Amino acid sequence: MDQREKKPLVVLTGPTAAGKTSLSIGLAKRIGGEIISADSMQVYKKMNIGTAKIMPEEMDGVPHHLVDVLDPEEEFNVVRFQQMAKKAMEEIYERGHIPIVVGGTGFYVQALLYDIDFSSHEAEEEYRRTLQQMAKERGGQYLYEKLKQVDPAYAAITHANNVKKVIRALEYYHETGKKLSEHNKDQREKESPYRFACFVLSHDRQELYRRIDQRVDGMMEQGLLEEVKGLMQDGYQRDLVSMQGIGYKEFFGYFDGTVSLEETIEKIKQNTRHFAKRQLTWFRREKEVIWVKKQEYGHEDEILERMSHVLEEKGIWQQ
């Protein structure tokens, strides 16, 4: 497809606590954009503090999509994200605006940007149930070791506790005899159907970790403990996909009386730092990304100037 025929798309991604939210509002106001969240947790209602969800008063009039729309009981995955995001994009284009995809879930961003096809590995129910049973009986680490044997590259970017992703990769190998890491690599090499710019916002590691610790302390002050208690009182079970998010799952030990509150908070900080590290590893493997290192800029306006310049150069937006 001719580059000029492609529709414009802007992506702003990067690790958690990098400052994407504030920057995305400034960018949307500057270029006439609407924001689509590529965050696997901010999509859920009632989960505001632990997801660092943007609140309506912070949106500054900029329309946001895929934020606060699903019940915590519902499952949200990359296929559903892709479907919902495409629908939002159609509406945004109809209004003559530019979609800005914002969030740190790299796989979601990639799936949308390169229109990855997931229909080729709709899993066999029977095998999936077998793997789920194995995880219950022998633990997630057992499945993770199996994954390391058949697809070490995918295992390297997946946490052993993310049983859902481990099962998906094992399913794919079982069905096709091929590695999911190779399938994803092939899909990544597809040409994007969009005229796009993908910005990765980052800090130096020490500053990023400081910001993460500060954010978690702030969440506790805002009432994160009460938020998680409230969800459990409303009947949301701890095995739900939503309740397995960082900032929620760590409290179960505290509620069971096996872990102190101080240890719980430290665990959230540690898990968030590890998550940020995995996010950065993911973004470094991606092609066609533009790194925006925050420490190289004095003010957010300078970053917006640079981004605007890139968008003009790529023919995505004109002043």
Side-chain angles (χ1 to χ4, degrees):
M1 189 192 288
D2 187 307
Q3 196 67 11
R4 288 165 301 182
E5 292 173 26
K6 292 180 178 181
K7 288 182 172 170
L9 178 63
V10 180
V11 175
L12 174 57
T13 189
T16 189
K20 298 182 293 292
T21 303
S22 166
L23 191 62
S24 67
I25 296 287
L27 184 63
K29 291 178 83 168
R30 183 175 282 225
I31 70 170
E34 295 186 29
I35 291 169
I36 298 173
S37 169
D39 186 292
S40 61
M41 290 296 292
Q42 290 191 10
V43 72
Y44 290 114
K45 298 172 185 174
K46 305 180 186 179
M47 304 181 91
N48 301 333
I49 299 169
T51 65
K53 187 188 292 171
I54 185 167
M55 294 286 103
E57 60 273 16
E58 298 171 288
M59 293 178 183
D60 210 3
V62 174
H64 281 64
H65 306 265
L66 275 66
V67 173
D68 212 38
V69 291
L70 295 186
D71 188 272
E73 276 189 336
E74 294 181 77
E75 187 168 334
F76 189 57
N77 54 35
V78 68
V79 177
R80 190 154 189 204
F81 164 75
Q82 201 184 42
Q83 291 164 347
M84 290 169 72
K86 280 184 177 179
K87 184 174 181 295
M89 285 167 74
E90 282 171 27
E91 295 165 5
I92 293 167
Y93 289 134
E94 278 173 19
R95 288 190 283 272
H97 293 163
I98 297 173
I100 305 173
V101 176
V102 181
T105 310
F107 191 34
Y108 286 13
V109 169
Q110 184 201 81
L112 191 64
L113 207 46
Y114 297 102
D115 203 16
I116 292 178
D117 178 20
F118 295 99
S119 60
S120 59
H121 51 273
E122 283 305 312
E124 314 155 17
E125 284 297 317
E126 190 58 38
Y127 186 63
R128 181 186 298 172
R129 278 198 293 271
T130 303
L131 292 174
Q132 286 169 339
Q133 195 57 35
M134 271 186 200
K136 272 184 186 166
E137 290 170 6
R138 306 193 188 189
Q141 190 64 38
Y142 176 78
L143 287 189
Y144 186 67
E145 292 303 324
K146 285 174 78 76
L147 178 61
K148 283 206 295 200
Q149 288 167 20
V150 300
D151 191 348
Y154 195 78
I157 58 160
T158 306
H159 196 281
N161 291 347
N162 197 333
V163 176
K164 194 173 71 165
K165 280 181 81 170
V166 171
I167 286 176
R168 199 173 134 266
L170 287 169
E171 275 176 351
Y172 185 74
Y173 185 78
H174 181 256
E175 288 166 44
T176 65
K178 295 174 185 169
K179 298 173 181 179
L180 186 55
S181 58
E182 288 174 3
H183 168 78
N184 289 347
K185 183 171 177 284
D186 293 343
Q187 289 288 330
R188 268 204 306 278
E189 283 164 8
K190 283 170 65 175
E191 188 183 327
S192 174
Y194 304 103
R195 191 166 73 249
F196 76 91
C198 181
F199 298 99
V200 179
L201 184 66
S202 74
H203 283 275
D204 62 71
R205 183 168 291 185
Q206 210 172 354
E207 172 61 10
L208 183 65
Y209 287 178
R210 187 193 68 78
R211 286 174 64 96
I212 286 170
D213 290 350
Q214 195 176 37
R215 174 186 271 194
V216 174
D217 289 336
M219 286 174 173
M220 289 306 296
E221 285 166 21
Q222 288 165 10
L224 178 58
L225 174 60
E226 289 71 24
E227 179 170 276
V228 185
K229 267 186 193 166
L231 286 160
M232 294 186 77
Q233 283 162 3
D234 287 346
Y236 295 108
Q237 303 295 320
R238 50 178 77 183
D239 59 348
L240 289 171
V241 170
S242 60
M243 294 294 276
Q244 286 301 312
I246 296 171
Y248 295 90
K249 63 182 179 184
E250 291 85 0
F251 282 99
F252 302 147
Y254 171 68
F255 294 141
D256 293 341
T258 57
V259 180
S260 72
L261 188 57
E262 289 72 22
E263 288 170 314
T264 300
I265 296 165
E266 191 44 53
K267 192 69 181 167
I268 295 171
K269 290 177 180 178
Q270 186 185 34
N271 286 346
T272 308
R273 289 194 296 267
H274 289 167
F275 177 53
K277 196 175 172 184
R278 288 197 303 279
Q279 286 175 304
L280 286 165
T281 301
W282 176 282
F283 300 131
R284 285 190 198 105
R285 294 183 318 122
E286 288 300 288
K287 57 177 183 172
E288 298 182 89
V289 299
I290 301 150
W291 285 85
V292 178
K293 296 178 179 174
K294 236 178 160 183
Q295 63 269 24
E296 294 175 3
Y297 297 86
H299 197 270
E300 200 169 86
D301 284 344
E302 293 174 28
I303 300 176
L304 288 171
E305 274 302 316
R306 180 179 172 216
M307 292 170 89
S308 306
H309 185 63
V310 169
L311 297 180
E312 284 194 287
E313 277 186 339
K314 287 178 170 279
I316 293 166
W317 168 77
Q318 297 300 320
Q319 290 211 51

